[in-house]
């Protein structure tokens, strides 16, 4: 009943060690904590493969309405989520793709043809539309978010806030994947927030009237080799930020260095060092290093020792280049 506060009892549908399974044509109305969980429910021992969840309608269910903990080749398609009368306070994600422990891995997860209506006015609710995130040393490989509409509030002429959609699409810790054809209306935090990801493509995205008091409508942090194409930002007070001078990767927050080991002392609640940072160049105290290893338990990386500063050297004369003997001569080359 809409007047009842949802508790954290359990999921309505749990697919643990499910193989080649499907959930189709289901309506969840005012159920408890989680809606449909794939690859759960415990922290380990469950792994789903080849699961399709299609034609689902969810009304005012608790938190993490659709979620994946451990599995691959999983598709959420043709989903309607209506949170306009949701009455549970707290922060949650409508669709949450989140491996939790070091032995969890989610691979080839697709979320497409989704409408999330979060135009609630109940205070104390902070909603994320779609969250895809790797925790600790878990792996998030090739996530896909496609054809998604997330509504946080009706567009007004004065650009007022209202509504409690904190963020629409969050991706961090991903390797590969794509976020495309997503429309976001009225987020009070980041419409799109991508962090610590590599080879992720962002394209054909539209955000309107996203007045972020705590960030930017679009925010890209600590990413490597990601691509942004065809993005439209309208009526947004703080539209876009890509952190300054990001080349391949950026190490944020306070770090301490001892020899070639760099440890993050203020991870901000979740790790920012991921396994796929190995091989990237990082800049510490204006010196460039290469990441050799990553430790997700101690939040530390081991880097190469820099070889020193390169100086420009010039050939003294044309005789220093001898094409007959295939020799180059540079005096005092260092």
């Amino acid at each position: 009943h809409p007047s009842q506060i949802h508790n954290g009892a359990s999921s309505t549908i749990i697919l643990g060690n499910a193989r080649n399974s499907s959930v189709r044509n289901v309506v969840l109305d005012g159920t408890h904590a989680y809606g449909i969980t794939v690859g759960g429910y415990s922290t380990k021992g469950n792994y789903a493969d080849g699961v399709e969840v299609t034609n689902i309608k969810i009304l005012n269910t608790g938190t993490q309405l659709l979620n994946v903990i451990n599995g691959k080749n999983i598709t959420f398609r043709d989903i309607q989520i209506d949170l306009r009368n949701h009455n549970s306070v707290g922060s949650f994600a409508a669709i949450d793709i989140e491996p939790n422990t070091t032995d969890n891995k989610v691979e080839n997860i697709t979320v497409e043809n989704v409408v999330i209506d979060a135009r609630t006015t109940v205070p104390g609710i902070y909603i994320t539309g779609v969250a895809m995130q790797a925790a600790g040393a878990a792996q998030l490989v090739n996530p896909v978010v496609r054809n998604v509409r997330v509504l946080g509030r009706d567009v007004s002429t004065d650009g007022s806030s209202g509504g409690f959609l904190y963020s629409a699409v969050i991706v961090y810790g991903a390797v590969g994947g794509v976020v495309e054809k997503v429309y976001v209306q009225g987020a009070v935090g980041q419409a799109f927030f991508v962090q610590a990801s590599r080879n992720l493509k962002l394209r054909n995205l539209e955000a309107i009237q996203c007045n972020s008091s705590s960030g930017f409508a679009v925010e890209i942090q600590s990413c490597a080799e990601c691509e942004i194409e065809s993005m439209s930002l309208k009526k947004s007070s703080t539209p876009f930020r890509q952190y300054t001078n990001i080349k391949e990767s950026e190490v944020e927050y306070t770090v301490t260095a001892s020899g070639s080991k760099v440890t993050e002392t203020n991870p901000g609640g979740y790790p920012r060092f991921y396994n796929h940072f190995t091989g990237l160049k990082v800049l510490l105290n204006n010196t460039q290093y290469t990441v050799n290893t990553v430790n997700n338990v101690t939040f530390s990386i081991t880097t190469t020792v820099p070889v020193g500063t390169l100086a420009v050297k010039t050939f003294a004369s044309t005789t220093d280049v001898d094409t007959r003997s295939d020799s180059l001569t540079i005096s005092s080359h260092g």
Side-chain angles (χ1 to χ4, degrees), residues 65-80:
L65 314 183
L66 300 171
N67 66 97
V68 177
I69 296 174
N70 199 14
K72 66 178 180 179
N73 304 321
I74 298 168
T75 299
F76 293 114
R77 181 182 293 117
D78 301 331
I79 309 293
Q80 297 181 53

Side-chain angles (χ1 to χ4, degrees), residues 87-261:
N87 66 352
S88 291
V89 297
S91 303
F92 68 93
I95 300 177
D96 189 24
I97 312 302
E98 184 177 5
N100 290 328
T101 60
T102 57
D103 59 343
N104 289 160
K105 179 180 181 180
V106 293
E107 184 175 3
N108 298 332
I109 311 297
T110 299
V111 176
E112 63 181 358
N113 304 342
V114 175
V115 176
I116 300 173
D117 193 339
R119 290 177 291 176
T120 179
T121 58
V122 177
I125 299 177
Y126 300 96
I127 301 169
T128 293
V130 180
M132 291 190 166
Q133 49 196 336
Q139 298 182 61
L140 174 62
V141 182
N142 294 327
V144 174
V145 179
R146 180 185 294 124
N147 295 333
V148 174
R149 290 179 63 86
V150 186
L151 308 178
R153 63 174 180 268
D154 292 324
V155 175
S156 62
T157 56
D158 62 356
S160 60
S161 55
F164 291 91
L165 174 67
Y166 183 75
S167 52
V169 178
I170 291 177
V171 180
Y172 60 81
V175 183
V178 62
V179 177
E180 64 181 354
K181 299 180 181 178
V182 179
Y183 173 83
V184 179
Q185 175 181 304
V188 296
Q190 298 96 334
F192 302 97
F193 180 51
V194 180
Q195 184 183 64
S197 296
R198 189 172 187 179
N199 296 321
L200 178 72
K201 293 180 172 59
L202 307 167
R203 56 198 183 201
N204 298 321
L205 307 180
E206 183 176 357
I208 183 170
Q209 198 166 302
C210 296
N211 294 345
S212 174
S213 59
S214 58
F216 292 76
V218 178
E219 196 160 352
I220 311 296
Q221 292 186 15
S222 303
C223 290
E225 300 161 355
C226 294
E227 298 177 14
I228 301 176
E229 179 183 351
S230 300
M231 182 176 294
S232 174
L233 304 174
K234 301 175 182 177
K235 299 183 179 180
S236 296
S237 60
T238 49
F240 179 82
R241 180 173 186 179
Q242 175 169 321
Y243 277 63
T244 305
N245 295 327
I246 288 181
K247 295 294 190 294
E248 288 187 283
S249 179
E250 178 183 278
V251 178
E252 297 183 340
Y253 289 80
T254 305
V255 298
T256 57
S258 176
S260 63
K261 183 177 180 180

Side-chain angles (χ1 to χ4, degrees), residues 9-87:
S10 187
S11 298
T12 305
I13 298 173
I14 304 172
L15 300 175
N17 289 316
R19 301 292 195 279
N20 302 321
S21 305
S22 62
V23 180
R24 294 193 290 260
N25 308 323
V26 172
V27 177
L28 303 179
D29 189 351
T31 57
H32 288 293
Y34 307 106
I36 301 174
T37 295
V38 179
Y41 180 68
S42 62
T43 57
K44 55 183 166 181
N46 293 283
Y47 190 82
D49 186 0
V51 174
E52 187 176 78
V53 179
T54 59
N55 195 19
I56 307 296
K57 187 173 184 179
I58 299 178
L59 305 170
N60 308 313
T61 296
T63 66
Q64 278 75 17
L65 314 183
L66 300 171
N67 66 97
V68 177
I69 296 174
N70 199 14
K72 66 178 180 179
N73 304 321
I74 298 168
T75 299
F76 293 114
R77 181 182 293 117
D78 301 331
I79 309 293
Q80 297 181 53
I81 297 177
D82 189 341
L83 298 171
R84 288 175 294 177
N85 295 313
H86 192 285
N87 66 352

Side-chain angles (χ1 to χ4, degrees), residues 136 251 255 262-264 271-275 277 294 296 299-301:
V251 178
V255 298
V262 180
T263 303
E264 187 173 20
R272 284 184 167 78
F273 292 143
Y274 290 86
N275 292 331
F277 278 2
V294 178
N296 298 97
F299 306 132
S300 65
I301 59 177

